[in-house]
Every structure is written in structure tokens, then in C-alpha cells.
Amino acid sequence: MQGITKRSLAKDAVLITAGIFSAGLGLKGFLLSSHFIDGGVTGISMLIASIFHIPLSLLIPIINFPFIIMGYKQIGRAFAFKSTAAITGLALCLALVEFPDVTPDLLLTSVFGGFFIGAGIGLAMRGGAVLDGTEVAALLVSRRNSGVRVGDVILGMNIFIFAAAAYFLGVDIALYSMLTYFTASKTVDFLIHGIEEYTAIWIVSDHHEQIRELITDKLHKGVTVLNSEKGFGKRGVQTEETKVLYSVVTRLEVSRLRDAIAEIDPLAFIVQHGIDDARGGIVKGRALH
């Protein structure tokens, strides 16, 4: 167990360190020279730095500190420790490491600046830390008010940030900054969920035993068989007992599974929906997870 813990900590440290340098490149190598900003707490720090000419390396830890305290109380000590180390590392990276100004092109600056910042945030999150306290704040607000979702809080915060950017920095910079944020958020999503995002599939068919054998024996996937009873279908009210199959596959495997089911029962009723994560059972592990 101790060896596993050490390996896990080492992996987290590598991911967080890579995230720090990626975000540092996005900020100093792209955005700062053009006065573009990102969303969230990082965006607030960049906006204040642009208006009042305060070093960004000083603002990022100061503005993130209250969110780390909240994260310590609500999420745990390990999260707070890793996040403190990550944010401190980013501040030191911005203060001490020299990055070249990669390109003067505003569109490339906006897109690739967002990409490297998003990659940095995503890698840090894979390591169990955050470089931006926005998610912590949104999570805590949504917990206190069940009618408010995390995405709603983040959206509201960013509307305010980019409206302020349009007022203080100009509309063009605000629009480029929105593109930066969009690129960063998509990069974070890709790194967190990956190309192999899991999909849950429910299958209702009179040929459930053949389909179960297909899933387990030929596709080598796990399946759960649920006892159920038919309700209302094409033939009206039905009370026959049947089986419902439930399986979790990667997004890349969905098409193959659906085609194989159609060969057995073209009339099978199939429902699928995305899921954020799956552990245990027979599911394909993700890299860096």
C-alpha cells in the first residue's frame, strides 16, 4: 500500500508540475503581451493586473487563497495542500521563468493561449489540485442552493468578468478573451473526460440472452441483467416479464455495440447517455487516470 501511495503521489506531482508550466506558457508566452484574459479567478487576477499594473504572480495566490480555505473545509486537507502547492508553483513560474512571446497574431494568441492554460488546469485537476478556484466556489454555491448548478455559477461569474473586460480593456480584447476562455474550457473537458468518455447503454429486447452473450463473450464487456416488467409499447399495455441489460462502454465502442445488437434484434429498444466516470467492473481504463 505504501508503494502504491508513493507512486500515486509521484504521478500527481508530475501532472501538477506539467500543468504549472503549461499554464505559465499560456499566460506569459501568449496572453499577457496582448492583454487578453481568461475566465474565472485567473481572469479576475489578469483583469486587475491589467488595470492597476500589479504583478500577476502576486495576484493569483492572493485571490485564490480564500477559495483554497473553503476547499480545505469542504473537500479535504489533501486537496487544499495540493492546490496550495500548485497555485504557489504557478506564481513562482510566472515570476521567475522566462517564456518567449510566441506570436504577435491576435487570433493565434487567443486560441493557443487558451489551449495551454486549459491544458495546465486539466493536468493539475488530474493530479488532484486546482490552478483556479472558480470550480471550488461554484461547487460550494451549488451545495448551498440546490436550485443552482455549478455551470450556472461559472457562467454568471464569467459574464461579469468579460463585461468588465469590455468596459476597461475594450470590446475587441473582451471578444478575443472569450475565445481564449472557450478554448481553455474545451481543453479542460478533453483532458478530464478524454476521448474515451464513458457511455451507459440500456437495452430492452426479447432476445436479451443472445445480446448478453454478444456483450460478454464477443465484445468482452461487462453487463448487468435487471429483472423488469414491460409496461406500454407498440402493442399497447403489456405485463410480460423481461430482462433489461445495462452496460458501460467507451464512446468509441458505442457504434460497434449498436450495430452488433441490430444484427440480433433490429427492434431492440436502446437508450444511451454519457457518464463522467466509471470504476471497477470491466471497463477500459483511461490513461493518466
Side-chain angles (χ1 to χ4, degrees):
M1 288 296 292
Q2 188 176 3
I4 295 175
T5 301
K6 288 182 178 179
R7 286 197 298 271
S8 177
L9 289 175
K11 183 194 74 171
D12 290 347
V14 170
L15 289 171
I16 292 171
T17 302
I20 289 170
F21 281 98
S22 179
L25 174 61
L27 291 169
K28 291 190 71 174
F30 290 92
L31 300 186
L32 293 182
S33 61
S34 300
H35 302 287
F36 294 168
I37 69 171
D38 189 21
V41 175
T42 302
I44 295 174
S45 304
M46 297 174 74
L47 182 60
I48 294 174
S50 295
I51 296 173
F52 298 103
H53 305 290
I54 301 173
L56 183 61
S57 59
L58 182 63
L59 286 172
I60 283 181
I62 290 175
I63 297 179
N64 273 292
F65 182 73
F67 301 104
I68 299 303
I69 297 298
M70 290 189 290
Y72 173 77
K73 294 179 179 179
Q74 299 291 328
I75 300 175
R77 180 184 302 176
F79 167 81
F81 175 78
K82 290 180 180 180
S83 297
T84 300
I87 292 170
T88 302
L90 178 60
L92 292 174
C93 180
L94 293 175
L96 303 176
V97 179
E98 292 296 328
F99 292 96
D101 188 6
V102 178
T103 176
D105 186 279
L106 296 182
L107 181 59
L108 293 177
T109 294
S110 177
V111 172
F112 282 94
F115 169 78
F116 283 108
I117 291 176
I121 293 173
L123 288 170
M125 291 178 70
R126 296 297 291 264
V130 294
L131 291 175
D132 188 299
T134 307
E135 285 77 13
V136 177
L139 179 62
L140 296 181
V141 171
S142 65
R143 283 182 178 179
R144 293 177 181 272
N145 188 339
S146 59
V148 179
R149 297 177 299 176
V150 172
D152 297 332
V153 179
I154 295 176
L155 176 62
M157 182 183 296
N158 286 318
I159 288 175
F160 171 79
I161 292 169
F162 292 123
Y167 179 79
F168 288 106
L169 304 179
V171 175
D172 287 349
I173 289 180
L175 292 175
Y176 276 117
S177 298
M178 291 172 67
L179 181 58
T180 296
Y181 171 73
F182 178 79
T183 305
S185 63
K186 291 300 180 184
T187 304
V188 171
D189 287 343
F190 179 80
L191 280 174
I192 297 301
H193 301 300
I195 193 171
E196 293 187 336
E197 179 181 357
Y198 292 116
T199 298
I201 296 187
W202 299 82
I203 307 157
V204 182
S205 170
D206 292 334
H207 303 277
H208 50 78
E209 184 59 28
Q210 290 176 263
I211 296 175
R212 185 196 64 77
E213 292 177 357
L214 163 75
I215 295 173
T216 57
D217 298 341
K218 295 184 179 180
L219 302 181
H220 305 291
K221 309 301 296 185
V223 62
T224 299
V225 182
L226 305 173
N227 292 320
S228 64
E229 186 175 284
K230 292 183 179 180
F232 184 85
K234 292 182 178 180
R235 294 177 292 172
V237 177
Q238 304 173 53
T239 57
E240 303 172 21
E241 291 186 355
T242 187
K243 306 286 187 182
V244 175
L245 306 180
Y246 178 81
S247 185
V248 176
V249 298
T250 65
R251 185 167 53 187
L252 298 179
E253 296 168 325
V254 171
S255 178
R256 179 188 176 195
L257 177 57
R258 290 174 65 98
D259 291 343
I261 293 172
E263 292 181 4
I264 296 174
D265 183 6
L267 301 179
F269 180 63
I270 301 173
V271 177
Q272 67 184 63
H273 59 86
I275 55 178
D276 290 337
D277 200 1
R279 294 179 184 272
I282 308 175
V283 292
K284 187 174 181 179
R286 296 181 189 163
L288 300 180
H289 194 70

